Amino acid sequence: MNDDKSSVRGENNEACRPCYASMDKVELEALAIEAIKEHRRLFETDQHIYDEWEKVEADPCSPHAVIQALEEQYLARQKRTALQQEELSDVLNALGFIPSVPADIVH
């Protein structure tokens, strides 16, 4: 019996989306680089929200509603980042290696 999951499994039994399997290595590498950059941006923003949440939570004068809003925002962002990380993993699995991506230089 062939279910949806078995049709997207690679040789190593790792998930690989069919659309990635049909792409050539140049396209996959470009997609992987962009996904890595996006992951870095998401992580950086998530960390900023987390730091702000901790700071506000530590202040006894902070309204509970503000603390709760930051917590909810952080948790929602974590879910989004986890989904993006799964997609990045799928791209890297299809590509077969992790491309070198230099850190963004902020001026």
Side-chain angles (χ1 to χ4, degrees):
M1 187 164 139
N2 190 9
D3 64 10
D4 288 339
K5 289 182 182 178
S6 65
S7 66
V8 294
R9 297 284 175 191
E11 280 186 18
N12 297 331
N13 214 19
E14 296 173 342
C16 179
R17 294 184 178 165
C19 62
Y20 298 141
S22 65
M23 295 174 74
D24 67 30
K25 293 293 183 185
V26 173
E27 291 174 311
L28 278 171
E29 187 170 0
L31 187 60
I33 289 169
E34 287 307 311
I36 289 168
K37 288 179 179 180
E38 176 65 11
H39 186 73
R40 289 175 181 174
R41 285 188 293 271
L42 289 172
F43 181 80
E44 185 178 317
T45 304
D46 291 353
Q47 186 63 49
H48 175 74
I49 298 294
Y50 180 80
D51 292 343
E52 186 65 23
W53 173 31
E54 277 195 322
K55 185 176 92 177
V56 169
E57 192 172 43
D59 182 352
C61 297
S62 295
H64 178 71
V66 172
I67 295 168
Q68 187 173 6
L70 283 168
E71 178 182 14
E72 289 170 2
Q73 181 181 8
Y74 176 73
L75 294 174
R77 290 190 61 81
Q78 285 292 285
K79 288 179 184 177
R80 178 175 178 238
T81 299
L83 290 173
Q84 193 275 337
Q85 186 171 357
E86 286 180 27
E87 184 174 341
L88 171 58
S89 179
D90 290 345
V91 172
L92 293 175
N93 285 337
L95 181 60
F97 66 95
I98 300 172
S100 177
V101 182
D104 291 337
I105 300 172
V106 179
H107 295 282

